[in-house]
Amino acid sequence: MNFFETELKKMTAKVSLLKNIKLVGRACIARLTDTTTVKVTFTTLGVAENYPAIRITVLNRSEGKVDEITIRFSDHWTNKDTIYAWTYRGESEWYNYRPTAADYTKMAKAISDYLENFAD
């Protein structure tokens, strides 16, 4: 499991709405309902190889993208704007901050709060 898969697993493990979670590269793909899939990915916000947020995309099998949101780590973890994962010289890690178990729980809650709107 690579760095991104490991971190996505920590962020989504406590999201009870997600079923059949698959971790692939920098993405987490899971079932929300019989017809709805969720994709969670690390995302840049304009700076290459810096990932200060995750993007959650809700997809319907027959209709395509339903909705999408970007959640910044700094909005949920601390008041610092410089929290991000990064890849430097082929190695990926957290820059300027190491998330705690409580941080992963906060991110899981944010993900759950968003996905509850689509869990019909």
Short mmCIF file of all heavy atoms in Angstrom, two decimals, residues 3-5 7-12 15 18 26-28 38-45 50-57 68-77 83-85 94 103-104 106-112 114-115:
data_model
loop_
_atom_site.label_atom_id
_atom_site.label_comp_id
_atom_site.label_asym_id
_atom_site.label_seq_id
_atom_site.Cartn_x
_atom_site.Cartn_y
_atom_site.Cartn_z
N PHE A 3 1.67 5.53 0.20
CA PHE A 3 1.34 6.58 1.16
C PHE A 3 -0.10 7.06 1.01
O PHE A 3 -0.83 7.17 2.00
CB PHE A 3 2.32 7.76 0.98
CG PHE A 3 1.92 8.99 1.73
CD1 PHE A 3 2.21 9.13 3.07
CD2 PHE A 3 1.23 10.02 1.08
CE1 PHE A 3 1.82 10.27 3.78
CE2 PHE A 3 0.85 11.17 1.78
CZ PHE A 3 1.14 11.28 3.13
N PHE A 4 -0.51 7.36 -0.21
CA PHE A 4 -1.84 7.92 -0.44
C PHE A 4 -2.94 6.91 -0.09
O PHE A 4 -3.96 7.26 0.51
CB PHE A 4 -1.98 8.41 -1.88
CG PHE A 4 -1.08 9.58 -2.17
CD1 PHE A 4 0.10 9.40 -2.86
CD2 PHE A 4 -1.41 10.85 -1.74
CE1 PHE A 4 0.94 10.48 -3.12
CE2 PHE A 4 -0.58 11.94 -2.00
CZ PHE A 4 0.60 11.75 -2.69
N GLU A 5 -2.74 5.66 -0.45
CA GLU A 5 -3.71 4.62 -0.10
C GLU A 5 -3.83 4.48 1.42
O GLU A 5 -4.93 4.37 1.95
CB GLU A 5 -3.30 3.29 -0.73
CG GLU A 5 -3.42 3.26 -2.22
CD GLU A 5 -2.75 2.04 -2.85
OE1 GLU A 5 -1.85 1.44 -2.24
OE2 GLU A 5 -3.13 1.71 -3.99
N GLU A 7 -3.20 6.74 3.74
CA GLU A 7 -3.86 7.91 4.32
C GLU A 7 -5.35 7.92 4.00
O GLU A 7 -6.17 8.26 4.87
CB GLU A 7 -3.18 9.19 3.84
CG GLU A 7 -1.75 9.34 4.34
CD GLU A 7 -1.63 9.26 5.85
OE1 GLU A 7 -2.32 10.01 6.56
OE2 GLU A 7 -0.84 8.42 6.34
N LEU A 8 -5.73 7.56 2.80
CA LEU A 8 -7.16 7.50 2.46
C LEU A 8 -7.87 6.44 3.28
O LEU A 8 -9.02 6.62 3.69
CB LEU A 8 -7.34 7.23 0.96
CG LEU A 8 -7.06 8.43 0.05
CD1 LEU A 8 -6.99 7.98 -1.40
CD2 LEU A 8 -8.09 9.53 0.24
N LYS A 9 -7.19 5.34 3.54
CA LYS A 9 -7.78 4.28 4.37
C LYS A 9 -8.07 4.82 5.77
O LYS A 9 -9.13 4.58 6.33
CB LYS A 9 -6.84 3.08 4.45
CG LYS A 9 -7.40 1.93 5.24
CD LYS A 9 -6.47 0.74 5.20
CE LYS A 9 -7.08 -0.42 5.97
NZ LYS A 9 -6.21 -1.61 5.92
N LYS A 10 -7.12 5.59 6.33
CA LYS A 10 -7.32 6.17 7.66
C LYS A 10 -8.48 7.16 7.67
O LYS A 10 -9.21 7.27 8.66
CB LYS A 10 -6.04 6.87 8.13
CG LYS A 10 -4.90 5.93 8.41
CD LYS A 10 -3.64 6.72 8.76
CE LYS A 10 -2.42 5.85 8.88
NZ LYS A 10 -1.21 6.67 9.15
N MET A 11 -8.66 7.91 6.58
CA MET A 11 -9.72 8.92 6.51
C MET A 11 -11.10 8.31 6.29
O MET A 11 -12.10 8.86 6.71
CB MET A 11 -9.44 9.91 5.38
CG MET A 11 -8.29 10.82 5.64
SD MET A 11 -8.02 11.89 4.22
CE MET A 11 -6.26 12.15 4.35
N THR A 12 -11.16 7.17 5.61
CA THR A 12 -12.46 6.59 5.25
C THR A 12 -12.87 5.38 6.08
O THR A 12 -14.01 4.95 6.01
CB THR A 12 -12.47 6.19 3.76
OG1 THR A 12 -11.44 5.23 3.52
CG2 THR A 12 -12.27 7.40 2.86
N VAL A 15 -16.06 5.75 8.06
CA VAL A 15 -17.23 6.25 7.33
C VAL A 15 -18.14 5.05 7.05
O VAL A 15 -17.95 4.32 6.09
CB VAL A 15 -16.83 6.98 6.02
CG1 VAL A 15 -18.07 7.49 5.30
CG2 VAL A 15 -15.87 8.12 6.31
N LEU A 18 -19.83 4.01 3.55
CA LEU A 18 -19.07 3.46 2.43
C LEU A 18 -18.99 1.94 2.52
O LEU A 18 -18.62 1.39 3.57
CB LEU A 18 -17.67 4.06 2.40
CG LEU A 18 -17.60 5.56 2.18
CD1 LEU A 18 -16.15 6.04 2.24
CD2 LEU A 18 -18.23 5.95 0.85
N ARG A 26 -3.97 6.93 -5.83
CA ARG A 26 -4.30 8.09 -4.99
C ARG A 26 -5.80 8.24 -4.83
O ARG A 26 -6.30 9.33 -4.56
CB ARG A 26 -3.70 9.35 -5.60
CG ARG A 26 -2.20 9.29 -5.59
CD ARG A 26 -1.55 10.49 -6.18
NE ARG A 26 -0.11 10.25 -6.20
CZ ARG A 26 0.77 11.12 -6.58
NH1 ARG A 26 0.40 12.30 -7.00
NH2 ARG A 26 2.05 10.82 -6.55
N ALA A 27 -6.53 7.14 -5.01
CA ALA A 27 -7.99 7.20 -4.94
C ALA A 27 -8.57 6.10 -4.06
O ALA A 27 -8.01 5.02 -3.93
CB ALA A 27 -8.58 7.07 -6.34
N CYS A 28 -9.72 6.42 -3.49
CA CYS A 28 -10.54 5.47 -2.75
C CYS A 28 -11.87 5.43 -3.49
O CYS A 28 -12.50 6.46 -3.71
CB CYS A 28 -10.74 5.96 -1.32
SG CYS A 28 -11.98 5.03 -0.39
N VAL A 38 -18.78 6.42 -4.84
CA VAL A 38 -18.06 7.58 -4.32
C VAL A 38 -16.58 7.40 -4.65
O VAL A 38 -16.03 6.31 -4.51
CB VAL A 38 -18.23 7.69 -2.79
CG1 VAL A 38 -17.35 8.78 -2.21
CG2 VAL A 38 -19.68 7.89 -2.43
N LYS A 39 -15.97 8.48 -5.09
CA LYS A 39 -14.53 8.49 -5.36
C LYS A 39 -13.91 9.59 -4.51
O LYS A 39 -14.33 10.75 -4.59
CB LYS A 39 -14.28 8.75 -6.84
CG LYS A 39 -12.82 8.76 -7.22
CD LYS A 39 -12.69 8.99 -8.73
CE LYS A 39 -11.26 9.12 -9.16
NZ LYS A 39 -11.15 9.43 -10.58
N VAL A 40 -12.93 9.23 -3.68
CA VAL A 40 -12.23 10.19 -2.83
C VAL A 40 -10.78 10.20 -3.30
O VAL A 40 -10.14 9.15 -3.36
CB VAL A 40 -12.29 9.78 -1.34
CG1 VAL A 40 -11.60 10.82 -0.47
CG2 VAL A 40 -13.73 9.57 -0.89
N THR A 41 -10.26 11.38 -3.63
CA THR A 41 -8.88 11.49 -4.11
C THR A 41 -8.16 12.65 -3.43
O THR A 41 -8.78 13.63 -3.03
CB THR A 41 -8.83 11.74 -5.63
OG1 THR A 41 -9.54 12.95 -5.93
CG2 THR A 41 -9.44 10.59 -6.41
N PHE A 42 -6.85 12.50 -3.30
CA PHE A 42 -6.03 13.65 -2.92
C PHE A 42 -6.03 14.59 -4.11
O PHE A 42 -5.99 14.14 -5.26
CB PHE A 42 -4.59 13.21 -2.63
CG PHE A 42 -4.38 12.73 -1.22
CD1 PHE A 42 -4.70 11.43 -0.86
CD2 PHE A 42 -3.86 13.58 -0.27
CE1 PHE A 42 -4.51 10.99 0.43
CE2 PHE A 42 -3.66 13.16 1.03
CZ PHE A 42 -3.99 11.85 1.39
N THR A 43 -6.06 15.89 -3.86
CA THR A 43 -6.11 16.84 -4.96
C THR A 43 -5.19 18.03 -4.71
O THR A 43 -5.00 18.44 -3.56
CB THR A 43 -7.55 17.32 -5.23
OG1 THR A 43 -7.58 18.10 -6.42
CG2 THR A 43 -8.09 18.13 -4.08
N THR A 44 -4.63 18.54 -5.78
CA THR A 44 -3.82 19.76 -5.69
C THR A 44 -4.76 20.95 -5.84
O THR A 44 -5.87 20.81 -6.35
CB THR A 44 -2.76 19.83 -6.80
OG1 THR A 44 -3.41 19.98 -8.05
CG2 THR A 44 -1.86 18.61 -6.81
N LEU A 45 -4.30 22.08 -5.39
CA LEU A 45 -5.07 23.31 -5.58
C LEU A 45 -4.20 24.33 -6.30
O LEU A 45 -4.13 25.49 -5.94
CB LEU A 45 -5.56 23.86 -4.23
CG LEU A 45 -6.52 22.95 -3.47
CD1 LEU A 45 -6.89 23.55 -2.13
CD2 LEU A 45 -7.77 22.66 -4.28
N ASN A 50 1.69 19.04 -4.47
CA ASN A 50 1.22 19.44 -3.15
C ASN A 50 -0.27 19.13 -3.08
O ASN A 50 -1.04 19.59 -3.93
CB ASN A 50 1.43 20.92 -2.88
CG ASN A 50 2.88 21.27 -2.65
OD1 ASN A 50 3.75 20.41 -2.70
ND2 ASN A 50 3.15 22.54 -2.43
N TYR A 51 -0.69 18.41 -2.05
CA TYR A 51 -2.07 17.95 -1.94
C TYR A 51 -2.68 18.44 -0.62
O TYR A 51 -2.66 17.73 0.39
CB TYR A 51 -2.12 16.42 -2.02
CG TYR A 51 -1.47 15.89 -3.27
CD1 TYR A 51 -0.11 15.56 -3.29
CD2 TYR A 51 -2.19 15.77 -4.44
CE1 TYR A 51 0.50 15.10 -4.44
CE2 TYR A 51 -1.59 15.31 -5.61
CZ TYR A 51 -0.24 14.97 -5.59
OH TYR A 51 0.36 14.52 -6.74
N PRO A 52 -3.23 19.66 -0.60
CA PRO A 52 -3.78 20.22 0.63
C PRO A 52 -5.25 19.87 0.88
O PRO A 52 -5.85 20.39 1.81
CB PRO A 52 -3.63 21.72 0.42
CG PRO A 52 -3.78 21.88 -1.06
CD PRO A 52 -3.17 20.65 -1.67
N ALA A 53 -5.80 18.98 0.07
CA ALA A 53 -7.23 18.69 0.18
C ALA A 53 -7.55 17.32 -0.41
O ALA A 53 -6.74 16.73 -1.11
CB ALA A 53 -8.04 19.77 -0.56
N ILE A 54 -8.76 16.88 -0.10
CA ILE A 54 -9.31 15.71 -0.80
C ILE A 54 -10.50 16.18 -1.60
O ILE A 54 -11.17 17.16 -1.24
CB ILE A 54 -9.73 14.56 0.16
CG1 ILE A 54 -10.74 15.04 1.20
CG2 ILE A 54 -8.52 13.90 0.78
CD1 ILE A 54 -11.36 13.93 2.01
N ARG A 55 -10.75 15.51 -2.69
CA ARG A 55 -11.93 15.79 -3.52
C ARG A 55 -12.81 14.55 -3.45
O ARG A 55 -12.35 13.43 -3.64
CB ARG A 55 -11.53 16.08 -4.96
CG ARG A 55 -12.76 16.32 -5.85
CD ARG A 55 -12.41 16.92 -7.18
NE ARG A 55 -11.94 18.28 -6.92
CZ ARG A 55 -10.87 18.82 -7.52
NH1 ARG A 55 -10.16 18.13 -8.37
NH2 ARG A 55 -10.52 20.06 -7.24
N ILE A 56 -14.08 14.77 -3.17
CA ILE A 56 -15.06 13.69 -3.13
C ILE A 56 -16.01 13.88 -4.29
O ILE A 56 -16.63 14.94 -4.44
CB ILE A 56 -15.85 13.69 -1.81
CG1 ILE A 56 -14.90 13.61 -0.61
CG2 ILE A 56 -16.84 12.53 -1.79
CD1 ILE A 56 -15.57 13.84 0.71
N THR A 57 -16.13 12.86 -5.12
CA THR A 57 -17.03 12.88 -6.26
C THR A 57 -18.08 11.79 -6.07
O THR A 57 -17.74 10.65 -5.78
CB THR A 57 -16.26 12.64 -7.58
OG1 THR A 57 -15.18 13.57 -7.66
CG2 THR A 57 -17.17 12.80 -8.79
N GLU A 68 -19.79 17.10 -6.41
CA GLU A 68 -18.37 17.02 -6.06
C GLU A 68 -18.07 18.11 -5.03
O GLU A 68 -18.66 19.19 -5.08
CB GLU A 68 -17.54 17.24 -7.32
CG GLU A 68 -16.06 17.08 -7.16
CD GLU A 68 -15.37 17.12 -8.52
OE1 GLU A 68 -15.35 18.21 -9.12
OE2 GLU A 68 -14.87 16.08 -8.95
N ILE A 69 -17.16 17.81 -4.11
CA ILE A 69 -16.75 18.79 -3.11
C ILE A 69 -15.25 18.63 -2.84
O ILE A 69 -14.71 17.52 -2.96
CB ILE A 69 -17.55 18.63 -1.80
CG1 ILE A 69 -17.30 19.79 -0.83
CG2 ILE A 69 -17.23 17.30 -1.12
CD1 ILE A 69 -18.21 19.81 0.38
N THR A 70 -14.61 19.73 -2.51
CA THR A 70 -13.20 19.71 -2.10
C THR A 70 -13.14 20.09 -0.64
O THR A 70 -13.69 21.12 -0.24
CB THR A 70 -12.37 20.70 -2.95
OG1 THR A 70 -12.48 20.31 -4.32
CG2 THR A 70 -10.91 20.69 -2.53
N ILE A 71 -12.48 19.25 0.17
CA ILE A 71 -12.35 19.50 1.60
C ILE A 71 -10.88 19.71 1.92
O ILE A 71 -10.06 18.81 1.74
CB ILE A 71 -12.91 18.32 2.43
CG1 ILE A 71 -14.39 18.09 2.11
CG2 ILE A 71 -12.70 18.58 3.92
CD1 ILE A 71 -14.99 16.88 2.77
N ARG A 72 -10.55 20.91 2.40
CA ARG A 72 -9.16 21.23 2.76
C ARG A 72 -8.83 20.64 4.13
O ARG A 72 -9.63 20.73 5.06
CB ARG A 72 -8.95 22.74 2.83
CG ARG A 72 -9.01 23.43 1.51
CD ARG A 72 -8.90 24.94 1.73
NE ARG A 72 -8.93 25.65 0.48
CZ ARG A 72 -7.84 26.13 -0.13
NH1 ARG A 72 -6.67 25.99 0.44
NH2 ARG A 72 -7.96 26.75 -1.26
N PHE A 73 -7.62 20.10 4.26
CA PHE A 73 -7.18 19.56 5.55
C PHE A 73 -7.13 20.65 6.60
O PHE A 73 -7.53 20.44 7.75
CB PHE A 73 -5.81 18.89 5.42
CG PHE A 73 -5.80 17.77 4.41
CD1 PHE A 73 -4.88 17.78 3.37
CD2 PHE A 73 -6.70 16.72 4.49
CE1 PHE A 73 -4.86 16.75 2.44
CE2 PHE A 73 -6.69 15.70 3.57
CZ PHE A 73 -5.77 15.72 2.53
N SER A 74 -6.65 21.83 6.22
CA SER A 74 -6.48 22.92 7.19
C SER A 74 -7.81 23.41 7.76
O SER A 74 -7.84 23.98 8.84
CB SER A 74 -5.73 24.09 6.56
OG SER A 74 -6.44 24.60 5.46
N ASP A 75 -8.91 23.16 7.08
CA ASP A 75 -10.23 23.57 7.59
C ASP A 75 -10.69 22.67 8.74
O ASP A 75 -11.56 23.06 9.51
CB ASP A 75 -11.28 23.53 6.49
CG ASP A 75 -11.11 24.64 5.48
OD1 ASP A 75 -10.36 25.60 5.76
OD2 ASP A 75 -11.71 24.54 4.39
N HIS A 76 -10.13 21.49 8.84
CA HIS A 76 -10.59 20.52 9.84
C HIS A 76 -9.54 20.15 10.87
O HIS A 76 -9.88 19.64 11.93
CB HIS A 76 -11.10 19.26 9.14
CG HIS A 76 -12.31 19.53 8.31
ND1 HIS A 76 -13.59 19.55 8.83
CD2 HIS A 76 -12.43 19.86 7.01
CE1 HIS A 76 -14.44 19.85 7.88
NE2 HIS A 76 -13.77 20.04 6.76
N TRP A 77 -8.28 20.34 10.55
CA TRP A 77 -7.23 19.84 11.44
C TRP A 77 -6.59 20.89 12.32
O TRP A 77 -6.37 20.67 13.47
CB TRP A 77 -6.17 19.09 10.64
CG TRP A 77 -6.70 17.79 10.11
CD1 TRP A 77 -7.89 17.20 10.42
CD2 TRP A 77 -6.07 16.92 9.19
NE1 TRP A 77 -8.03 16.02 9.74
CE2 TRP A 77 -6.93 15.83 8.98
CE3 TRP A 77 -4.85 16.97 8.51
CZ2 TRP A 77 -6.60 14.78 8.13
CZ3 TRP A 77 -4.53 15.92 7.66
CH2 TRP A 77 -5.40 14.84 7.47
N ILE A 83 -0.86 22.83 5.71
CA ILE A 83 -0.98 21.39 5.88
C ILE A 83 -1.24 20.77 4.52
O ILE A 83 -2.24 21.09 3.86
CB ILE A 83 -2.15 21.03 6.81
CG1 ILE A 83 -1.93 21.61 8.19
CG2 ILE A 83 -2.31 19.52 6.90
CD1 ILE A 83 -3.13 21.44 9.09
N TYR A 84 -0.36 19.91 4.10
CA TYR A 84 -0.58 19.19 2.86
C TYR A 84 0.32 17.97 2.78
O TYR A 84 1.34 17.88 3.44
CB TYR A 84 -0.38 20.08 1.63
CG TYR A 84 0.96 20.76 1.51
CD1 TYR A 84 2.04 20.12 0.89
CD2 TYR A 84 1.15 22.05 1.97
CE1 TYR A 84 3.26 20.75 0.76
CE2 TYR A 84 2.36 22.70 1.84
CZ TYR A 84 3.42 22.04 1.23
OH TYR A 84 4.63 22.67 1.10
N ALA A 85 -0.14 17.02 1.98
CA ALA A 85 0.71 15.89 1.63
C ALA A 85 1.48 16.33 0.39
O ALA A 85 0.99 17.15 -0.39
CB ALA A 85 -0.14 14.67 1.33
N TRP A 94 3.58 13.76 4.67
CA TRP A 94 2.93 14.98 5.13
C TRP A 94 3.98 16.07 5.29
O TRP A 94 5.09 15.81 5.74
CB TRP A 94 2.22 14.76 6.46
CG TRP A 94 1.00 13.93 6.30
CD1 TRP A 94 0.84 12.63 6.65
CD2 TRP A 94 -0.24 14.34 5.74
NE1 TRP A 94 -0.41 12.19 6.34
CE2 TRP A 94 -1.10 13.22 5.77
CE3 TRP A 94 -0.71 15.53 5.19
CZ2 TRP A 94 -2.40 13.28 5.29
CZ3 TRP A 94 -2.01 15.58 4.72
CH2 TRP A 94 -2.84 14.47 4.77
N ASP A 103 -7.60 13.68 14.20
CA ASP A 103 -7.71 14.36 12.91
C ASP A 103 -8.40 13.46 11.89
O ASP A 103 -9.26 13.92 11.13
CB ASP A 103 -6.33 14.75 12.38
CG ASP A 103 -5.68 15.86 13.20
OD1 ASP A 103 -6.41 16.71 13.74
OD2 ASP A 103 -4.45 15.85 13.31
N TYR A 104 -8.03 12.18 11.86
CA TYR A 104 -8.65 11.26 10.91
C TYR A 104 -10.14 11.10 11.24
O TYR A 104 -10.97 10.99 10.33
CB TYR A 104 -7.94 9.91 10.91
CG TYR A 104 -6.55 9.99 10.33
CD1 TYR A 104 -5.43 9.79 11.13
CD2 TYR A 104 -6.35 10.27 8.99
CE1 TYR A 104 -4.15 9.86 10.61
CE2 TYR A 104 -5.08 10.36 8.46
CZ TYR A 104 -3.99 10.15 9.27
OH TYR A 104 -2.72 10.24 8.73
N LYS A 106 -12.04 13.45 12.57
CA LYS A 106 -12.68 14.68 12.08
C LYS A 106 -12.91 14.62 10.57
O LYS A 106 -13.95 15.06 10.08
CB LYS A 106 -11.81 15.90 12.41
CG LYS A 106 -11.80 16.28 13.86
CD LYS A 106 -10.87 17.46 14.08
CE LYS A 106 -10.66 17.74 15.54
NZ LYS A 106 -9.67 18.82 15.74
N MET A 107 -11.94 14.11 9.84
CA MET A 107 -12.09 14.01 8.39
C MET A 107 -13.19 13.01 8.04
O MET A 107 -13.98 13.25 7.13
CB MET A 107 -10.76 13.63 7.74
CG MET A 107 -10.78 13.74 6.23
SD MET A 107 -11.20 15.39 5.58
CE MET A 107 -9.82 16.36 6.17
N ALA A 108 -13.24 11.89 8.76
CA ALA A 108 -14.30 10.90 8.52
C ALA A 108 -15.67 11.51 8.76
O ALA A 108 -16.61 11.25 8.02
CB ALA A 108 -14.08 9.67 9.42
N LYS A 109 -15.78 12.35 9.80
CA LYS A 109 -17.06 13.01 10.07
C LYS A 109 -17.43 13.96 8.95
O LYS A 109 -18.58 14.00 8.51
CB LYS A 109 -17.00 13.76 11.40
CG LYS A 109 -18.26 14.58 11.65
CD LYS A 109 -18.65 14.68 13.06
CE LYS A 109 -19.86 15.52 13.36
NZ LYS A 109 -20.86 15.68 12.37
N ALA A 110 -16.47 14.73 8.45
CA ALA A 110 -16.74 15.65 7.35
C ALA A 110 -17.20 14.88 6.10
O ALA A 110 -18.15 15.28 5.42
CB ALA A 110 -15.50 16.48 7.03
N ILE A 111 -16.54 13.77 5.82
CA ILE A 111 -16.91 12.94 4.67
C ILE A 111 -18.33 12.40 4.87
O ILE A 111 -19.17 12.46 3.97
CB ILE A 111 -15.90 11.80 4.46
CG1 ILE A 111 -14.54 12.38 4.05
CG2 ILE A 111 -16.40 10.81 3.42
CD1 ILE A 111 -13.39 11.37 4.10
N SER A 112 -18.60 11.88 6.05
CA SER A 112 -19.92 11.33 6.36
C SER A 112 -21.01 12.39 6.25
O SER A 112 -22.08 12.13 5.68
CB SER A 112 -19.95 10.73 7.76
OG SER A 112 -19.13 9.60 7.84
N TYR A 114 -21.11 15.01 4.45
CA TYR A 114 -21.36 15.30 3.04
C TYR A 114 -22.13 14.17 2.37
O TYR A 114 -23.14 14.39 1.70
CB TYR A 114 -20.02 15.55 2.33
CG TYR A 114 -20.15 15.68 0.83
CD1 TYR A 114 -20.78 16.79 0.26
CD2 TYR A 114 -19.67 14.70 -0.01
CE1 TYR A 114 -20.91 16.91 -1.11
CE2 TYR A 114 -19.79 14.81 -1.38
CZ TYR A 114 -20.41 15.92 -1.93
OH TYR A 114 -20.55 16.02 -3.29
N LEU A 115 -21.68 12.94 2.58
CA LEU A 115 -22.28 11.80 1.87
C LEU A 115 -23.70 11.47 2.34
O LEU A 115 -24.48 10.88 1.57
CB LEU A 115 -21.40 10.57 2.02
CG LEU A 115 -20.05 10.65 1.30
CD1 LEU A 115 -19.24 9.39 1.55
CD2 LEU A 115 -20.24 10.89 -0.19
#
